[in-house]
Amino acid sequence: MELSEYVQKGFQMLADSGSFDSSAFTLLLRVAFQSLLDAQADEAVLDHPDLKHIDPVVLKHCHAAAATYILEAGKQRADKSTLSIGRSLPHITDVSWRLEYQIKTNQLHKMYRPAYLVTLNVENTDSRSHPEISFSCNMEQLQDLVGKLKDASKSLERATQF
């Protein structure tokens, strides 16, 4: 899902715990959903007492960013497993891999097919859990993944040079 710079900036402000404490963060997300679901939604919902301490321009920017994200997620038919609305996404803490060779199938056909078993150790700071994500891939798939990660890294470097 590609989001404009404006929307991304709104999310950066929304993620700033100095501007949005936990209750304001949750309230703003509820307001964003409410404004999309209820045609009678009033702009006064942004005047909630728990949001009074936030600059109105920042508040409207973050509301627009949240509403845009919700609409884009709906367009992409995203489900709960592909969305993460919270203070922080899980992040990778370690990676391990090993090379394995599949020598025979269960039909006893001989095959010599190498595969990489990759395990990502991740940390979810919201729930303090440390799950592992494991997957298997062949050489082409691993090269494709590494290429996409390099592209993402370059994009992040450019974005932080502003």
Side-chain angles (χ1 to χ4, degrees), residues 114-116 137-144:
Y116 291 93
C137 59
N138 62 29
M139 175 64 90
E140 292 170 358
Q141 292 168 326
L142 186 59
Q143 287 174 338
D144 185 47

Side-chain angles (χ1 to χ4, degrees), residues 75-140:
K75 273 180 23 183
Q76 302 291 328
R77 297 188 185 278
D79 61 10
K80 188 176 180 180
S81 66
T82 58
L83 294 178
S84 178
I85 299 178
R87 285 287 180 193
S88 61
L89 294 171
H91 63 275
I92 297 172
T93 57
D94 195 19
V95 177
S96 60
W97 62 273
R98 71 173 193 249
L99 181 62
E100 75 170 8
Y101 287 94
Q102 184 176 4
I103 298 172
K104 293 182 182 181
T105 65
N106 39 341
Q107 287 85 23
L108 299 178
H109 292 107
K110 291 189 179 197
M111 22 182 1
Y112 298 100
R113 183 172 37 185
Y116 291 93
L117 295 176
V118 180
T119 301
L120 305 175
N121 296 331
V122 298
E123 179 180 19
N124 188 342
T125 55
D126 289 343
S127 65
R128 304 282 187 237
S129 63
H130 300 275
E132 289 184 350
I133 301 170
S134 298
F135 61 93
S136 176
C137 59
N138 62 29
M139 175 64 90
E140 292 170 358

Side-chain angles (χ1 to χ4, degrees), residues 20-100:
F20 288 88
D21 61 17
S22 183
S23 65
F25 177 83
T26 303
L27 181 60
L28 185 71
L29 289 180
R30 281 196 185 120
V31 167
F33 274 103
Q34 182 72 27
S35 66
L36 292 171
L37 294 173
D38 185 2
Q40 305 298 324
D42 187 0
E43 212 175 293
V45 293
L46 292 176
D47 293 332
H48 192 281
D50 289 344
L51 300 175
K52 286 283 187 196
H53 68 283
I54 302 168
D55 177 13
V57 173
V58 170
L59 191 60
K60 287 182 180 184
H61 186 168
C62 293
H63 177 266
T68 302
Y69 183 79
I70 294 165
L71 289 172
E72 281 298 314
K75 273 180 23 183
Q76 302 291 328
R77 297 188 185 278
D79 61 10
K80 188 176 180 180
S81 66
T82 58
L83 294 178
S84 178
I85 299 178
R87 285 287 180 193
S88 61
L89 294 171
H91 63 275
I92 297 172
T93 57
D94 195 19
V95 177
S96 60
W97 62 273
R98 71 173 193 249
L99 181 62
E100 75 170 8

Side-chain angles (χ1 to χ4, degrees), residues 5-17:
E5 271 186 59
Y6 179 81
V7 171
Q8 291 177 26
K9 189 74 170 166
F11 270 116
Q12 288 173 351
M13 289 187 288
L14 184 58
D16 178 14
S17 59

